[in-house]
């Protein structure tokens, strides 16, 4: 099996790392939800060696993630966890949770489950950072995001770019407060919340 490769990860990893370097400077244990290929994990874990970076994804992605982790041979990337948000999140003491490009892929009910389960996995002062496309005030932020949303929904009507306000309402329901909504290249955003 060849390592899976997502070109977008090569393009977005430096801007995301710049934000995580600030945001996660005082963090110790990160749970990544929907690690995908594992490319982000090896890049971020190598650059942020003070963190333990715990990858996770549904079962089908784990072999590919293992290939990336094994090749990188980092000491701060434990074996990936099998994690489907429909089954809840691991009970734990993660002081940070990170997820990239997942909320528009999950069905809305799955996004709700993710946020409902966050308090089980996050420490009382935990941070959540979510990267990806979002709508603002019920509107697409670009024509390319509108086209992307149409393509997503044509493939699966349960997918689609989420409204940041609706996601923030779920976050507030889970006891999280919005810290920052940062614009990122290519009409993406990095949204940070703090528990408590
Ligand atoms: C577009 S990929 C993004 C992967 C990676 N984070 C990135 O930015 O390249 C969406 C990811 O969400 C994961 N995902 C979708 N539904 C999920 C669920 N119910 N529970 C956990 N992960 C899920 C997929 O398996 C996939 O890895």
């Amino acid at each position: 099996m060849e390592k899976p490769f997502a070109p977008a990860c090569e393009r977005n990893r430096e801007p995301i790392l710049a934000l995580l370097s600030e945001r996660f400077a005082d963090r110790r244990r990160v749970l990544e939800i929907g690690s995908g290929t594992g490319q982000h994990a090896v890049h971020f874990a190598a650059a942020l060696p003070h963190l333990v970076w715990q990858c996770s994804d549904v079962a089908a992605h784990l072999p590919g993630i293992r290939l990336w982790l094994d090749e990188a041979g980092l000491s701060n990337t434990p074996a990936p966890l099998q994690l489907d948000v429909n089954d809840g999140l691991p009970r734990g003491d993660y002081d940070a949770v990170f997820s990239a490009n997942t909320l528009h892929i999950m069905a809305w009910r799955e996004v709700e489950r993710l946020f409902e389960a966050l308090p089980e996995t996050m420490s009382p002062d935990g941070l959540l950072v979510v990267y990806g496309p979002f709508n603002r005030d019920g509107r697409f932020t670009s024509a390319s995001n509108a086209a992307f949303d149409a393509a997503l929904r044509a493939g699966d009507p349960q997918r689609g770019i989420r409204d940041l306000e609706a996601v923030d309402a779920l976050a507030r329901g889970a006891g999280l407060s919005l810290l920052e909504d940062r614009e990122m290249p290519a009409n993406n955003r990095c949204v940070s919340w703090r528990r408590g």
Side-chain angles (χ1 to χ4, degrees):
M1 177 183 172
E2 281 194 19
K3 290 202 318 285
F5 182 77
C9 286
E10 302 297 304
R11 295 192 295 271
N12 61 32
R13 65 184 194 175
E14 292 305 336
I16 299 174
L17 177 60
L19 182 141
L20 295 183
S21 299
E22 297 168 31
R23 194 60 81 198
F24 289 175
D26 64 348
R27 302 289 102 180
R28 294 172 296 110
R29 296 183 71 212
V30 181
L31 174 65
E32 182 183 14
I33 296 173
S35 297
T37 60
Q39 282 165 267
H40 276 159
V42 296
H43 191 67
F44 300 152
L48 303 170
H50 65 286
L51 293 174
V52 173
W53 191 280
Q54 177 65 65
C55 292
S56 75
D57 210 316
V58 299
H61 285 273
L62 298 188
I65 295 170
R66 283 192 198 103
L67 290 177
W68 279 91
L69 296 190
D70 289 351
E71 182 186 79
L74 300 169
S75 60
N76 60 336
T77 53
L81 295 179
Q82 183 174 331
L83 190 162
D84 184 322
V85 298
N86 290 295
D87 304 326
L89 297 180
R91 288 194 179 276
D93 189 28
Y94 294 98
D95 58 7
V97 175
F98 172 76
S99 196
N101 290 315
T102 50
L103 303 191
H104 59 282
I105 301 295
M106 295 175 187
W108 181 248
R109 181 64 197 126
E110 294 175 328
V111 178
E112 290 177 328
R113 283 181 192 273
L114 165 61
F115 278 88
E116 283 162 11
L118 276 176
E120 291 166 22
T121 213
M122 290 175 89
S123 62
D125 67 339
L127 293 179
L128 169 67
V129 176
V130 178
Y131 169 87
F134 285 93
N135 294 334
R136 292 301 316 267
D137 303 318
R139 292 195 195 90
F140 296 113
T141 60
S142 67
S144 63
N145 275 8
F148 181 45
D149 180 78
L152 283 168
R153 290 179 194 275
D156 181 341
Q158 300 215 70
R159 293 183 172 178
I161 297 181
R162 308 304 174 193
D163 289 337
L164 179 56
E165 294 75 12
V167 175
D168 185 46
L170 296 182
R172 279 186 273 117
L176 304 174
S177 310
L178 185 65
L179 277 181
E180 184 190 34
D181 165 26
R182 193 182 294 189
E183 281 190 44
M184 302 292 279
N187 303 303
N188 287 296
R189 316 187 83 82
C190 231
V191 188
S192 304
W193 289 268
R194 182 183 288 279
R195 189 171 178 208

